[in-house]
Amino acid sequence: MAKKKLPAAKPNSPAPAKASSSPKRPRNAAATREAILQSALVAFSRAGYDGVGLREIAGEAGVTAILVNRYFGSKEEMFAEAVKVTFADTSLFSGDAASLADRVAQAMIGRTDQSRPDPFRLMLHSASNPRAAAILREALARQFEGPLAGMLGGRDTNERAALFLALVTGFDLLRNVIGSAPLARADEALLAKRIAAMLKPLVDDKHGKKAEKPQQLTLFG
């Protein structure tokens, strides 16, 4: 019995398509924008405004630099959005003023993960750039100095709020950015108590209260 011949393959038949080796990011505008923003938050917190470029941010987000510009317009606008998100949490200033110094001291001691976006680290790494400093200054006044001053009684609340934040920022710089050995090795419970003791006079304003007392009049004075 003669075998049937198989039909010859057509010379112009297209080759089967190969599966893509790397999955592409789904076309979701909101998800893509969020991925870029999260990449920017980490990058700016780690290296500051001048220490990171759009290509690096885009690469970490899995997109192109052109797409970054499409969503945010410019590096400056992206930085402003990153600052807005990083400074959004003002929960430390929403509780009782009497426990404010203790709450902030405990939060400062727990701030050791340098990869996590942090408002104070973002300031410390980016303040040398004039435009970045202006963006940070506006956000700082709106998100931190204003709410903090509103919690404080007595006089000069804006000045005391700024001093409060200066102490917090200075500690963060020495311990978590520069890496001061005595602060890094210190007993955390004792360190928190000492930080709180430094902050409490700015909250209580005992000096201001004394100054506001009316003078006592005497027959001879």
Side-chain angles (χ1 to χ4, degrees), residues 29-146:
T32 300
R33 187 182 187 280
E34 181 63 20
I36 295 171
L37 182 56
Q38 290 302 317
S39 175
L41 285 168
V42 173
F44 286 135
S45 294
R46 181 185 68 247
Y49 185 86
D50 290 326
V52 66
L54 292 182
R55 290 183 181 276
E56 180 183 346
I57 293 172
E60 291 295 326
V63 299
T64 63
I66 295 175
L67 199 58
V68 173
N69 281 324
R70 183 183 302 172
Y71 279 99
F72 292 94
S74 66
K75 180 180 176 180
E76 183 177 312
E77 292 177 40
M78 180 191 294
F79 181 76
E81 186 66 20
V83 170
K84 180 181 177 182
V85 172
T86 309
F87 282 30
D89 184 8
T90 59
S91 57
L92 279 176
F93 307 133
S94 61
D96 182 20
S99 61
L100 175 64
D102 292 312
R103 294 200 312 271
V104 172
Q106 289 295 335
M108 291 165 64
I109 294 302
R111 189 178 289 136
T112 56
D113 183 4
Q114 295 197 27
S115 66
R116 184 174 64 86
D118 173 82
F120 295 106
R121 192 166 293 118
L122 191 67
M123 287 191 294
L124 293 168
H125 286 308
S126 302
S128 59
N129 181 279
R131 183 54 193 144
I135 294 172
L136 288 164
R137 187 164 53 248
E138 294 168 7
L140 182 68
R142 181 178 61 253
Q143 296 298 110
F144 292 102
E145 286 180 1

